[in-house]
Amino acid sequence: MNQLNIHQAAGVELVRAAKPSVNQLPIRGRFQVEHIRNGKVIGNYDFPNGITTEGKNHLLDVQFHNTPAPMATWYLGLIDLAGFTALAAADIYDNINQAGNGWDEFSNYTDAGNANSTTTRPAWTEGAASAASITNASPVIFDITGTGTVKGVFLAGGTNAQTKGDHTAGSAHKLWATALFTGGDVAVLNGDQLKVTYTVSA
């Protein structure tokens, strides 16, 4: 009888690196704001944002868990000095202008990108990602309509996120990022403009 003898062998080489190598994806964002009064630039501000836990969870859910459905448009808002106590990673969309976040929305502006609407937040008009970065090529314009002090900027998305002052509860709305001006609060007058550029890099 012919026999077929099969032999198997496995070789294992264990290599232990001196230091573990870990690939990281540090998501970063920056706001750039140009302050214009009477047609002249009176201030330029460039400052990093903190990303909320709600925003990070949303990013992971959309990328890996496919829930909730991706948000087609994100909106920029302004943070008011009045009533401000602090920003926190635990801040959420549901608590805008509510107890829970340590800040309220500054609403004395019109949305230049939406027929000078008094009731909408301006859309963040981002282009396609390139070189691991995404940004708006043209600044988003806030036309200031009253005297006040702006503490910072936020980015939010969701079904009703275009509506100024909205804080609809539920998973369809997310607060992605918040940031304070690093050079101090910005006092604004009726007729001023704030031009905002927001960039996220990985």
Side-chain angles (χ1 to χ4, degrees):
M1 177 184 286
N2 292 328
Q3 292 183 334
L4 178 64
N5 295 319
I6 298 176
H7 301 278
Q8 300 183 59
V12 177
E13 181 181 7
L14 174 63
V15 177
R16 182 169 291 153
K19 287 195 261 182
S21 176
V22 178
N23 289 328
Q24 296 183 338
L25 182 66
I27 302 293
R28 303 175 305 279
R30 299 195 71 81
F31 287 104
Q32 294 172 305
V33 180
E34 188 176 41
H35 186 181
I36 298 171
R37 181 174 295 161
N38 297 323
K40 295 182 179 179
V41 177
I42 64 170
N44 281 290
Y45 316 100
D46 185 322
F47 47 102
N49 67 257
I51 298 173
T52 65
T53 300
E54 181 177 57
K56 292 175 182 177
N57 288 343
H58 173 73
L59 182 69
L60 294 170
D61 274 341
V62 170
Q63 178 66 23
F64 300 108
H65 193 49
N66 198 31
T67 182
M71 296 176 186
T73 306
W74 291 83
Y75 300 92
L76 288 164
L78 302 176
I79 296 172
D80 202 338
L81 171 65
F84 180 85
T85 57
L87 299 181
D91 290 345
I92 60 174
Y93 185 91
D94 298 3
N95 287 338
I96 293 175
N97 294 343
Q98 305 291 304
N101 293 346
W103 53 273
D104 291 327
E105 184 172 0
F106 180 90
S107 59
N108 292 334
Y109 66 84
T110 57
D111 179 0
N114 188 29
N116 295 314
S117 170
T118 60
T119 61
T120 60
R121 296 169 178 145
W124 178 45
T125 50
E126 84 288 346
S130 176
S133 183
I134 190 167
T135 190
N136 50 307
S138 299
V140 173
I141 299 174
F142 293 82
D143 285 323
I144 304 300
T145 58
T147 300
T149 303
V150 180
K151 186 80 177 173
V153 186
F154 68 88
L155 186 76
T159 309
N160 300 317
Q162 186 177 23
T163 302
K164 192 189 297 183
D166 182 70
H167 50 82
T168 303
S171 63
H173 297 87
K174 300 297 176 187
L175 177 65
W176 164 254
T178 57
L180 302 181
F181 291 101
T182 54
D185 306 333
V186 177
V188 293
L189 301 177
N190 182 23
D192 286 3
Q193 282 187 331
L194 294 179
K195 296 184 175 182
V196 181
T197 300
Y198 180 55
T199 304
V200 182
S201 302

